[in-house]
Amino acid sequence: MQFPESWLREFCNPPISTDQLAETLTMAGLEVEELKPVAPPFSRIVVGQILGAVQHPNADRLRVCQVDVGQGSPLTIVCGAPNARVGIKVPCALVGAELPPGEDGKPLLIKVGKLRGVESEGMLCSARELRLSEDHGGLLELAPDASLGQDIREHLRLDDTLFTLKLTPNLAHCLSVFGVAREVAALTGAPLKSPVFPSVAVGSQDKLAVKVSAPDLCGRFSGRIVRDVNPQAATPLWMVDRLARCGQRSVTALVDISNYVMFELGRPSHIFDLDKIHGGLDVRWGKPGETLKLLNGTTVTVDNKVGVIADENQVESLAGIMGGDGTAVSSDTKNVYVEAAFWWPKAIAGRSRRYNFSTDAGHRFERGVDPGQTVEHIERITQLIIDICGSNTTSCGPIDDAHVNLPKAVPVTLRVARAAKVIGMPLTQAQCLDALKRLGLDVVEGEGTLTVTPPSYRFDLQIEEDLIEEVVRMVGYEQLPETPPLAPITARIRPEAERSPYAVRRAMASLGYQETINFSFVEERWEHELAGNPDPIKLLNPIASQMSVMRSSLLGSLLQVLKFNLDRKAPRVNVFELGRIFLRDAQSQNTDSTVAGFDQPMRVAGLAYGPRSQLHWGQPDKAVDFFDVKGDVEALLAPLQAVFAPADHPAMHPGRCASVSVAGKPVGFVGELHPQWRQGYELAQAPLLFELELDAVLQREMPVFKAVSKLQPVERDIAIIVAESVTHAALMAAVHEASTGGLVKGAVLFDVYRPLQANAAMQLGEKSLALRLVLSGGASTLTDETIEGVVQSVVASLQLRLQARLRA
């Protein structure tokens, strides 16, 4: 909320500086987000009146003006503004004046000069040249009663500061200048000048029939008819100025009056053109299919969840949000109906956002507006209408005030001992009583307790903690003692057999992957298609329709990142994410880090697409394949030994997917994207993906000392013929399960041969595998007999387990 300091000080003027006032408000919870001067510094600019204006003899667009600035003799000033005419009063920069800096950052110094041969003794200024607004259509015209020669800063009250407050939702009572002044009075002890609302004389008994059909929408509805108003009356400059300093542009006098009272007292209201209302008004919930053209030109369709004000023919206003175009005041308006109501906050909250706009009225009503001052505020609006738009024939009807369903004030009790414990400093009952009474609250004392009946404008005082907050705000947060923590702080030491998630991130980066961070909210379709999850966890209030469920897999997020980069012509995408997934788990209980009914494990997932490496003259241009990503998974899990086995996964190719196990426990999957999803994402080639449990990736074996043999190891090669279905994992398992006495230190597959056609040695459906064994006896030299025995044991194991035969 933005407002000028001068307006605030009219209600409460504490003897403190602007900076001190801002600090006081901020420390009381009303954060001052910005302090901004109304106008930049400039000097020697005064009020001048144009006495004469004739055409420049040598220029079509210039006029030679005689300007009276209260110095006796008029000044000759050449001006090119289109509205430079006799009689108006405008800002006049005298010789020696310094105007605000321009786009070059340098101030403009006014000197005597000649324009097309005519000497000019100053400059007539527009609002833009004074940096008061962006309007540069002509000179800034001042009020006719402005004093000649008066400093323009004094006349326009430019030595003022704009306060911008960042208010939390519980501070609805501060959404007005008077509301902030009420807080300032409580904080500083300065007297508060409360506004007085004298009743306007009633000149007729005219009333508009109003029916409140929805008491859960509107709790109080007040209104009055005012006849014979002048809608074309000009808004006074003082009101235009104050509205502008609150960030509100002037529209028409009637609209400006309504906006002015809203900023002044926090009461949004609406002024209807009475002659455009058909019959009476009905305050009710909307009906499905009803439409309304709003004041902003938008046509909206309402339903039974949106409150409206309707007449006998149609909907005329969105309740508490914005009026309709059909009953808007115009230059032809003669009679008006002034409305001020109390709308229940829950009935207004979120309605304007359904239509993708927000209003000052809706912002206030959804937080709570005082239901006890509707009549007084109508009196204030009526008086301003009479003063600004009234005439000799203007008459006012009586105020029709319908009390339907007002909120009931529920007393709240504060325990002084409880307040001292929560705040963390000793407090007496007298201190608490003083703090609450300074806020204007009705307090009843008890033994160690204070009972407060909240006033009608305080919707935020509902529980004891609300009163405790008010007490500490008045006492001052800066008064709280600095007490160090009493509990011992013990750093959580990670076991040596576990690495950190940051080490996993660094390992992925070293493998050529880039990290991505994605929302945990995903599209429901992803869960069905990519995770095979028929019942994902749905959000009650999703931020977007395509982010309506919690993810149970990271793969959908990575595919979205891939598509985003491919749409921007990225030829190679290697990305990973380390994040949390969300699963239903009936065994999970509420703790400091878990939620009952839900499991939230961490996963690490990766995706590779395009060339395996950047284009290089020394390397072939090879696309990434299953074995590349399988190798990345092995490197990520090292030194743990990963075991891969054929498996099925909803997101992966049925024949190119493997499960990943460590120590016999499944920890994830690796494979190629399913052809169906590849086609759905319109991908030129299939990306390779993997997803692993983070807990398994974090584990690492502790290194154990083993003596290095001083003797040279022995190598022996074996070539065997096996069936095509034999896997590398089965081959290695058969080798290591052989009875070799631990002499086989390593085995490497270095050649695979498949015949193009059957021959005497091999049949179709068979393959030849060449295997190199590394043997070492540790402290003793291996004899030929020992070596031959180990090789025969390995061959026997291969024959037994794989039905292998030696290749001749």
Side-chain angles (χ1 to χ4, degrees):
M1 187 184 76
Q2 178 179 298
F3 59 88
E5 180 185 2
S6 59
W7 197 359
L8 174 67
R9 289 186 180 271
E10 286 188 8
F11 290 111
C12 182
N13 189 13
I16 55 178
S17 67
T18 299
D19 290 336
Q20 290 173 325
L21 178 58
E23 177 69 14
T24 300
L25 289 172
T26 299
M27 293 307 296
L30 285 74
E31 181 185 352
V32 178
E33 193 172 31
E34 183 183 17
L35 290 177
K36 181 181 177 182
V38 169
F42 52 77
S43 60
R44 290 185 59 78
I45 300 177
V46 299
V47 177
Q49 183 175 25
I50 300 178
L51 302 179
V54 298
Q55 187 66 41
H56 193 291
N58 301 319
D60 294 338
R61 296 187 179 183
L62 297 179
R63 298 173 71 83
V64 180
C65 302
Q66 300 298 313
V67 183
D68 183 3
V69 294
Q71 296 181 352
S73 57
L75 303 177
T76 300
I77 298 177
V78 178
C79 176
N83 63 334
R85 63 186 187 275
V86 175
I88 64 170
K89 293 183 178 180
V90 296
C92 178
L94 305 177
V95 173
E98 191 174 273
L99 269 64
E103 294 180 357
D104 58 358
K106 298 179 181 179
L108 176 63
L109 185 64
I110 302 301
K111 303 177 181 178
V112 176
K114 285 189 176 183
L115 292 176
R116 296 288 184 94
V118 177
E119 188 175 82
S120 182
E121 301 173 302
M123 175 180 173
L124 303 182
C125 305
S126 68
R128 185 177 185 181
E129 289 161 339
L130 299 181
R131 297 294 182 266
L132 300 181
S133 74
E134 291 302 314
D135 181 16
H136 59 283
L139 301 176
L140 175 60
E141 297 188 28
L142 306 176
D145 59 353
S147 300
L148 294 178
Q150 184 182 22
D151 191 305
I152 200 69
R153 300 191 72 90
E154 179 183 350
H155 174 70
L156 296 178
R157 298 183 180 181
L158 298 181
D159 294 321
D160 198 356
T161 304
L162 299 181
F163 277 61
T164 301
L165 302 187
K166 186 178 181 181
L167 299 177
T168 51
N170 63 310
L171 295 175
H173 59 286
C174 296
L175 285 170
S176 65
V177 178
F178 178 70
V180 177
R182 189 165 47 205
E183 290 287 310
V184 172
L187 292 167
T188 63
L192 176 67
K193 182 181 178 182
S194 298
V196 179
F197 308 104
S199 298
V200 175
V202 175
S204 70
Q205 294 302 314
D206 293 344
K207 286 187 178 182
L208 179 67
V210 177
K211 179 176 68 172
V212 180
S213 302
D216 56 338
L217 167 66
C218 178
R220 184 179 183 182
F221 195 94
S222 306
R224 156 181 277 169
I225 292 175
V226 182
R227 295 191 179 276
D228 292 332
V229 298
N230 177 17
Q232 299 184 27
T235 304
L237 290 178
W238 60 267
M239 182 177 286
V240 172
D241 179 63
R242 281 189 171 173
L243 288 174
R245 295 182 187 185
C246 290
Q248 178 68 50
R249 66 179 180 86
S250 175
V251 184
T252 64
L254 289 171
V255 176
D256 292 346
I257 289 170
S258 177
N259 288 333
Y260 181 84
V261 173
M262 179 182 68
F263 287 115
E264 180 185 42
L265 304 173
R267 165 70 59 189
S269 58
H270 188 61
I271 300 178
F272 294 86
D273 187 324
L274 179 64
D275 299 323
K276 296 178 182 178
I277 298 176
H278 305 90
L281 295 179
D282 186 9
V283 181
R284 57 175 174 80
W285 293 106
K287 298 176 183 177
E290 287 185 315
T291 60
L292 169 65
K293 184 178 180 182
L294 299 171
L295 290 172
N296 61 6
T298 304
T299 299
V300 298
T301 302
V302 303
D303 56 24
N304 58 2
K305 299 294 184 182
V306 178
V308 300
I309 302 175
D311 60 17
E312 293 180 355
N313 292 350
Q314 61 188 6
V315 174
E316 299 293 0
S317 175
L318 278 185
I321 298 174
M322 184 181 289
D325 183 69
T327 52
V329 294
S330 65
S331 58
D332 299 324
T333 297
K334 295 295 182 183
N335 309 306
V336 298
Y337 180 74
V338 182
E339 165 264 314
F342 165 68
W343 306 100
W344 283 96
K346 288 184 179 180
I348 305 300
R351 270 50 176 195
S352 60
R353 287 187 289 276
R354 291 178 56 178
Y355 303 113
N356 296 321
F357 67 85
S358 62
T359 63
D360 288 325
H363 181 78
R364 286 163 171 78
F365 278 125
E366 67 184 6
R367 286 159 173 76
V369 176
D370 184 6
Q373 294 281 307
T374 58
V375 171
E376 291 80 356
H377 293 168
I378 285 183
E379 295 286 6
R380 171 65 167 157
I381 295 171
T382 306
Q383 188 61 60
L384 289 172
I385 291 175
I386 293 173
D387 293 343
I388 298 172
C389 304
S391 64
N392 294 333
T393 59
T394 300
S395 65
C396 303
I399 295 178
D400 187 11
D401 185 24
H403 293 243
V404 182
N405 180 26
L406 293 178
K408 297 177 176 59
V410 179
V412 183
T413 299
L414 168 71
R415 294 167 289 174
V416 177
R418 166 76 174 159
K421 181 178 179 180
V422 172
I423 294 173
M425 64 181 290
L427 286 172
T428 65
Q429 185 161 329
Q431 285 178 295
C432 295
L433 178 65
D434 174 66
L436 296 175
K437 284 198 168 182
R438 280 159 54 191
L439 287 165
L441 304 178
D442 183 14
V443 187
V444 177
E445 289 191 77
E447 187 173 345
T449 64
L450 298 171
T451 301
V452 173
T453 301
S456 58
Y457 57 85
R458 293 300 299 266
F459 288 80
D460 58 319
L461 301 182
Q462 299 178 358
I463 59 176
E464 183 178 19
E465 282 71 15
D466 296 330
L467 295 181
I468 293 174
E469 181 184 3
E470 296 304 296
V471 169
V472 73
R473 286 201 312 121
M474 292 299 105
V475 171
Y477 290 108
E478 68 277 5
Q479 301 300 325
L480 295 177
E482 296 180 0
T483 306
L486 300 179
I489 300 177
T490 305
R492 180 181 178 274
I493 301 175
R494 191 178 300 277
E496 284 187 281
E498 182 180 314
R499 55 181 169 176
S500 72
Y502 296 100
V504 175
R505 290 185 172 95
R506 289 193 292 271
M508 289 299 300
S510 67
L511 292 170
Y513 291 81
Q514 292 181 308
E515 184 175 10
T516 66
I517 300 175
N518 300 289
F519 278 110
S520 296
F521 319 134
V522 299
E523 191 173 347
E524 187 172 359
R525 178 176 60 86
W526 295 1
E527 285 297 297
H528 298 322
E529 296 177 352
L530 301 176
N533 184 5
D535 185 25
I537 301 169
K538 295 184 178 181
L539 298 172
L540 294 178
N541 186 25
I543 60 176
S545 59
Q546 69 273 20
M547 305 174 76
S548 59
V549 300
M550 304 298 290
R551 64 185 179 183
S552 63
S553 171
L554 305 182
L555 299 181
S557 301
L558 294 182
L559 285 172
Q560 183 185 41
V561 172
L562 170 65
K563 193 69 171 67
F564 180 88
N565 282 273
L566 293 181
D567 289 345
R568 285 149 184 81
K569 307 302 181 183
R572 177 175 177 267
V573 179
N574 281 21
V575 293
F576 80 95
E577 181 177 5
L578 194 152
R580 197 174 297 279
I581 64 167
F582 303 85
L583 308 170
R584 297 187 186 276
D585 182 9
Q587 306 300 321
S588 182
Q589 302 296 322
N590 272 324
T591 68
D592 291 341
S593 58
T594 62
V595 178
F598 302 99
D599 187 21
Q600 306 174 58
M602 295 287 289
R603 296 278 177 87
V604 56
L607 179 148
Y609 180 93
R612 179 54 184 164
S613 58
Q614 298 286 358
L615 189 64
H616 189 270
W617 63 268
Q619 296 179 349
D621 187 13
K622 173 181 175 295
V624 66
D625 61 20
F626 175 87
F627 297 101
D628 292 320
V629 177
K630 176 175 174 285
D632 291 339
V633 171
E634 290 176 328
L636 183 63
L637 290 170
L640 300 179
Q641 294 297 318
V643 177
F644 300 86
D648 291 323
H649 189 282
M652 297 181 184
H653 194 296
R656 300 173 187 174
C657 171
S659 64
V660 184
S661 302
V662 175
K665 178 185 176 183
V667 299
F669 291 88
V670 58
E672 184 180 292
L673 183 65
H674 197 291
Q676 181 179 355
W677 314 139
R678 171 188 169 183
Q679 183 179 4
Y681 281 93
E682 299 179 349
L683 302 176
Q685 65 186 69
L688 281 300
L689 311 105
F690 69 85
E691 184 172 20
L692 306 173
E693 295 179 6
L694 182 63
D695 289 342
V697 179
L698 296 181
Q699 304 304 314
R700 60 181 180 181
E701 294 180 350
M702 290 298 299
V704 178
F705 172 75
K706 292 181 181 179
V708 179
S709 176
K710 297 180 180 179
L711 304 175
Q712 185 175 354
V714 177
E715 295 180 350
R716 289 291 185 270
D717 293 344
I718 301 174
I720 60 173
I721 298 174
V722 296
E724 181 65 38
S725 60
V726 173
T727 64
H728 177 267
L731 176 68
M732 293 296 108
V735 171
H736 291 295
E737 289 173 5
S739 178
T740 61
L743 296 181
V744 176
K745 303 302 181 183
V748 178
L749 176 67
F750 65 87
D751 184 53
V752 178
Y753 169 73
R754 294 180 176 87
L756 298 178
Q757 59 185 5
N759 54 51
M762 299 176 61
Q763 301 296 320
L764 291 176
E766 292 183 329
K767 59 185 175 182
S768 172
L769 304 180
L771 187 68
R772 176 163 295 168
L773 304 178
V774 179
L775 313 178
S776 176
S780 60
T781 303
L782 297 178
T783 64
D784 290 341
E785 292 80 6
T786 303
I787 295 171
E788 185 63 24
V790 170
V791 172
Q792 291 303 321
S793 296
V794 171
V795 171
S797 177
L798 293 172
Q799 292 173 340
L800 176 64
R801 291 173 173 80
L802 305 180
Q803 289 73 49
R805 65 182 187 273
L806 284 175
R807 182 178 177 184

